[in-house]
């Protein structure tokens, strides 16, 4: 049974019902000022059980996610019979977590804490970030993880700029310590913290998360497996789910083409949703399977309807 209000939402017990969810940004952009109200009504009308809302930018954290906005959205969530399964912060909000500059890291940590306070007011059980990448790495793509998706021009080589002084061991230490500090701020508000894999970040695959967890060793830190980004790395999602096991807090699902580069509409690619559902049930996963379509030429509502149908069948 769904929670009667967003404020009373709690994560289900181990082995409980898996929820079929959607990220709000299936129906809005991720630029500053792109807000979720219209998306919430669409997602609720389609029959989803949970939704992920997001802090797009530091400006949105400061100016949009006020108490009055949160109160309005909680009422909207209740009308749509939706819970917030987690509250992510988009990369620009916390991009300084891998910076060598102490002041820059502190700013990102402070915004992480502000995001945690928003999540708590929304009734979300956890917060989420995509793992940051080293600030010494850059490419022609502003969002570094997406660089692999570009088709090269004739005679063009795949290339990432590596700034002088890049030292992965040092950066890993900085990253682990920053995650510990983030986790302490989340736990102080009674929240869990899920971290997500993306290509070229400090955490590209499931094994990277397991290394991070070994450096933190706190059950409040868990894994948000994005199955599409995992396939980009040839990290087979059903195996990744078994590897993550008790650490798996949330799943992001999308389809992907056979080149492992383009996120096509649900059912148009090679993602084995039945195998993913079977693996999730085998480890007694009890979180949300959130559709994060990430664009396609198909109408998004049609993709969502097919996703709900496919996942209901897979989870039956």
């Amino acid at each position: 049974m769904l929670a009667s209000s967003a404020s009373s939402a709690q994560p289900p017990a181990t082995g409980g019902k898996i929820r079929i969810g959607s990220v709000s940004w299936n129906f809005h952009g991720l630029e500053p000022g792109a807000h979720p109200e219209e998306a919430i009504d669409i997602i609720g009308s389609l029959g989803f059980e949970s939704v992920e809302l997001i802090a797009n930018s530091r400006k949105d954290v400061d100016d949009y996610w006020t108490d009055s906005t949160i109160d309005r959205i909680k009422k909207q969530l209740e009308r749509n019979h939706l819970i917030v399964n987690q509250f992510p912060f988009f990369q620009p909000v916390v991009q300084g977590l891998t910076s060598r500059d102490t002041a820059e890291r502190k700013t990102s940590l402070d915004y992480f804490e502000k995001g945690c306070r928003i999540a708590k007011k929304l009734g979300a059980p956890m917060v989420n970030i995509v793992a940051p990448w080293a600030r010494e790495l850059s490419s022609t793509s502003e969002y570094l993880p997406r660089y692999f998706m570009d088709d090269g021009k004739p005679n063009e080589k795949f290339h990432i700029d590596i700034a002088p002084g890049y030292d992965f061991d040092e950066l890993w230490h900085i990253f682990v310590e920053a995650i510990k500090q983030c986790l302490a701020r989340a736990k102080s508000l009674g929240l869990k913290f899920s971290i997500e894999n993306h290509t070229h970040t400090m955490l590209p695959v499931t094994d990277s998360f397991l290394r991070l967890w070994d450096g933190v060793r706190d059950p409040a830190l868990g894994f948000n497996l994005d199955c599409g980004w995992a396939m980009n790395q040839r990290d087979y999602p059903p195996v990744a789910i078994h590897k993550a096991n008790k650490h798996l807090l949330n799943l992001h699902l999308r389809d992907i083409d056979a080149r492992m580069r383009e996120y096509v509409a649900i059912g148009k690619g090679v993602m084995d949703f039945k195998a993913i559902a079977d693996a999730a049930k085998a480890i007694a996963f009890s979180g949300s399977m959130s559709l994060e379509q990430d664009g396609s030429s198909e109408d998004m509502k049609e993709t969502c309807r097919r996703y709900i149908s496919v996942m209901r069948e897979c989870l039956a």
Side-chain angles (χ1 to χ4, degrees), residues 172 176 180 207-218 221 247:
W172 183 260
V176 171
K180 287 180 180 178
D207 299 76
S208 309
F209 167 78
L210 295 174
R211 181 186 178 190
L212 171 65
W213 199 89
D214 281 342
V216 176
R217 303 198 70 81
D218 190 315
L221 176 67
H247 303 304

Side-chain angles (χ1 to χ4, degrees), residues 119-133:
K120 182 71 173 180
K121 291 174 183 178
L122 284 168
M126 61 186 166
V127 293
N128 163 265
I129 66 168
V130 169
W133 59 86

Side-chain angles (χ1 to χ4, degrees), residues 70 112-122 188-189 191:
I70 292 168
F112 182 93
E113 183 172 343
K114 288 180 181 181
C116 288
R117 295 188 183 281
I118 294 167
K120 182 71 173 180
K121 291 174 183 178
L122 284 168
S188 71
L189 292 167
L191 301 172

Side-chain angles (χ1 to χ4, degrees), residues 11-316:
T14 301
K17 180 180 181 293
I18 296 173
R19 291 187 175 96
I20 300 173
S22 172
V23 301
S24 66
W25 55 100
N26 282 329
F27 294 98
H28 67 77
L30 287 170
E31 68 278 5
H35 298 152
E37 284 96 334
E38 182 180 3
I40 291 169
D41 285 337
I42 295 171
I43 289 165
S45 71
L46 289 167
F48 284 101
E49 299 166 296
S50 61
V51 64
E52 296 182 33
L53 308 178
I54 190 168
N56 290 3
S57 68
R58 291 176 179 177
K59 179 174 174 55
D60 286 313
V61 169
D62 290 333
D63 299 339
Y64 173 71
W65 288 104
T66 62
D67 285 348
S68 61
T69 298
I70 292 168
D71 288 344
R72 184 175 70 250
I73 285 181
K74 285 169 68 175
K75 292 174 183 176
Q76 189 182 10
L77 292 165
E78 185 171 359
R79 289 195 305 272
N80 283 283
H81 306 289
L82 291 168
I83 68 157
V84 180
N85 55 295
Q86 66 176 7
F87 187 66
F89 317 140
F90 193 37
Q91 187 267 340
V93 178
V94 292
Q95 63 185 4
L97 290 177
T98 50
S99 173
R100 286 189 171 94
D101 183 271
T102 302
E104 187 177 354
R105 287 201 309 277
K106 183 180 183 303
T107 298
S108 286
L109 286 164
D110 288 344
Y111 270 96
F112 182 93
E113 183 172 343
K114 288 180 181 181
C116 288
R117 295 188 183 281
I118 294 167
K120 182 71 173 180
K121 291 174 183 178
L122 284 168
M126 61 186 166
V127 293
N128 163 265
I129 66 168
V130 169
W133 59 86
R135 309 315 297 167
E136 290 81 1
L137 305 181
S138 60
S139 75
T140 54
S141 175
E142 182 179 355
Y143 190 74
L144 182 64
R146 291 196 178 279
Y147 180 49
F148 80 97
M149 300 179 81
D150 296 335
D151 286 321
K153 299 174 183 177
N155 301 316
E156 182 181 23
K157 305 300 182 185
F158 184 98
H159 178 80
I160 293 175
D161 289 326
I162 305 172
Y166 174 72
D167 183 333
F168 183 79
D169 286 344
E170 178 190 0
L171 290 171
W172 183 260
H173 175 74
I174 289 171
F175 174 56
V176 171
E177 291 306 309
I179 295 302
K180 287 180 180 178
Q181 292 179 60
C182 286
L183 186 61
R185 297 180 188 215
K187 288 174 63 179
S188 71
L189 292 167
L191 301 172
K192 290 190 174 185
F193 173 24
S194 77
I195 190 164
E196 183 174 338
N197 57 298
H198 276 206
T199 305
H200 307 315
T201 69
M202 298 296 289
L203 204 156
V205 293
T206 310
D207 299 76
S208 309
F209 167 78
L210 295 174
R211 181 186 178 190
L212 171 65
W213 199 89
D214 281 342
V216 176
R217 303 198 70 81
D218 190 315
L221 176 67
F223 189 35
N224 183 118
L225 174 65
D226 188 305
C227 295
W229 288 97
M231 289 282 272
N232 298 143
Q233 298 279 154
R234 277 47 175 189
D235 188 15
Y236 183 53
V239 173
I241 288 168
H242 281 280
K243 283 183 178 181
N245 204 302
K246 64 184 179 182
H247 303 304
L248 187 66
L249 295 181
N250 199 70
L251 282 163
H252 281 172
L253 297 183
R254 65 187 88 197
D255 214 334
I256 193 169
D257 72 345
R259 299 185 306 158
M260 311 296 173
R261 291 177 64 188
E262 182 181 354
Y263 299 131
V264 296
I266 297 297
K268 307 297 184 181
V270 299
M271 191 69 74
D272 190 339
F273 294 101
K274 181 63 164 61
I276 289 170
D278 288 345
K281 288 188 286 187
I283 66 163
F285 174 70
S286 57
S288 285
M289 291 182 161
S290 296
L291 172 65
E292 187 181 21
Q293 175 56 48
D294 206 1
S296 79
S297 59
E298 184 179 66
D299 177 73
M300 185 63 74
K301 291 181 182 178
E302 181 61 30
T303 298
C304 289
R305 292 187 187 100
R306 189 184 311 113
Y307 175 75
I308 292 172
S309 176
V310 166
M311 295 316 301
R312 283 176 177 166
E313 182 177 350
C314 290
L315 291 170

